[in-house]
Amino acid sequence: GGGSKQQILHFNSLTVATSIPPGGGAKSAKSAAVTNNATPTITPRAILASFLKTVADAKSHLAAAAAARAVSIFGMYPVDTIKTRMQMKQGDSFRVSGLYKGVTGSLVGQVPYGVLTFGSYEIYKQALLKKFPSTKPAFIYALAAIMGDVTGSGWLCPSEVMKQQLQAGIYPSMGEAIKGIWKKNGFKGFYQGFTGGLARDVPFRVAQLTTFEITKSIYLRTKRNKNSSSEDVALSSLEAAVCGAAAGSFSAAITNPLDRIKTLMMTDTTNAYGGSVLACASKILKDDGVGGFFAGVVPRVGYIAPSVCIFFVTYEFVQQKMKKAE
């Protein structure tokens, strides 16, 4: 209604609404469902071509989002390290030394992960809208987002394993982590805890999207009641970011048990936690009781809102610079 479309970009469990000018980025759900009704031939080459076109169409927004993601990760990385230490029940979780260990690997994993999840999300969304045209778009978007996360996890998991083992002090450097993990378990060692990551990310995404929609609905209803005019009301980018931060913080809290399972699985070098989500959960319950599932919940929740703020400010700054350069 305001001359722009709202595009939801997913970057490592952050939902940030950004404004994409008409004609930029991916097609809207409506046009995607109406146009090109013919069933396309699905081949690996066609999928790759679609992915590359999606990324190319939104390249300026993805570039700004990648820069913003990198800044937010770097700025909040010490909080993430403290959370990992607390979940592993290390003595001095707040020690200054090593707060940035593994940050390079995290950036190498997280920034491309954002592009990969966005590109695959768009492909899944378009395919699902064509196959199930009568299904509510909100459900399609949620399912496509989850599928995009699962796809991106294939890239992200190795960097997460190295990052968390460095944060835990298991290895002194990225090079040593790569050599040590390869020597001990080979290629599969870089996917240690992969199921734990999925067990956390899928419920987190469902909770986040659901909470975001509820928060947005309540906010818009309040805004509409205060607005005396008959014009439709919509979220600004800043308001969407605030709703996203609230939804992300709530979702982070309720999925903290799954996050601790994922952390322990990825840092378990002695197979003390059984190598599966169920075995790890059972050991946590046995050793620490129910409260053990919420170790590190404060830094996990405290990580989200500032990250969204940093992301939003940086994204807008980079976008403005790019527009001036054009």
Side-chain angles (χ1 to χ4, degrees), residues 49 58 83 87 94 104 120 135 198 295 311:
K83 180 211 71 173
Q87 289 182 335
F94 292 92
T104 302
S120 57
T135 304
L198 289 180
F311 184 103

Side-chain angles (χ1 to χ4, degrees), residues 149-185:
D149 284 345
V150 173
T151 301
S153 294
W155 169 271
L156 183 64
C157 189
S159 69
E160 280 289 291
V161 171
M162 290 185 286
K163 179 201 79 172
Q164 294 212 285
Q165 293 196 14
L166 283 163
Q167 287 177 324
I170 297 171
Y171 296 104
S173 67
M174 183 65 69
E176 290 297 318
I178 293 172
K179 288 192 290 184
I181 294 169
W182 180 264
K183 184 177 180 180
K184 187 166 186 177
N185 293 310

Side-chain angles (χ1 to χ4, degrees), residues 209-288:
L209 290 173
T210 303
T211 309
F212 179 81
E213 288 301 321
I214 293 172
T215 305
K216 183 179 72 172
S217 177
I218 294 172
Y219 183 85
L220 286 175
R221 191 182 308 127
T222 304
K223 191 175 180 180
R224 196 177 293 113
N225 291 336
K226 290 182 178 180
N227 189 358
S228 57
S229 67
S230 59
E231 293 181 4
D232 289 338
V233 295
L235 290 182
S236 67
S237 294
L238 178 58
E239 290 169 335
V242 172
C243 290
S249 297
F250 174 77
S251 302
I254 65 173
T255 57
N256 193 78
L258 299 169
D259 187 61
R260 191 182 182 209
I261 289 171
K262 174 248 188 191
T263 294
L264 294 177
M265 288 179 69
M266 286 189 170
T267 56
D268 184 12
T269 58
T270 61
N271 201 34
Y273 290 92
S276 71
V277 173
L278 184 59
C280 186
S282 298
K283 183 161 177 58
I284 292 172
L285 187 62
K286 180 181 177 181
D287 294 349
D288 305 321

Side-chain angles (χ1 to χ4, degrees), residues 3-62:
S4 66
K5 298 180 286 184
Q6 289 299 315
Q7 181 74 48
I8 300 299
L9 299 180
H10 304 283
F11 283 85
N12 188 33
S13 305
L14 299 181
T15 301
V16 180
T18 58
S19 181
I20 294 184
K27 293 180 179 179
S28 67
K30 186 176 180 180
S31 63
V34 173
T35 61
N36 195 16
N37 290 323
T39 303
T41 303
I42 305 299
T43 65
R45 180 177 292 182
I47 293 172
L48 178 60
S50 179
F51 175 84
L52 294 176
K53 185 179 185 304
T54 297
V55 171
D57 287 346
K59 60 184 177 182
S60 63
H61 303 281
L62 287 174

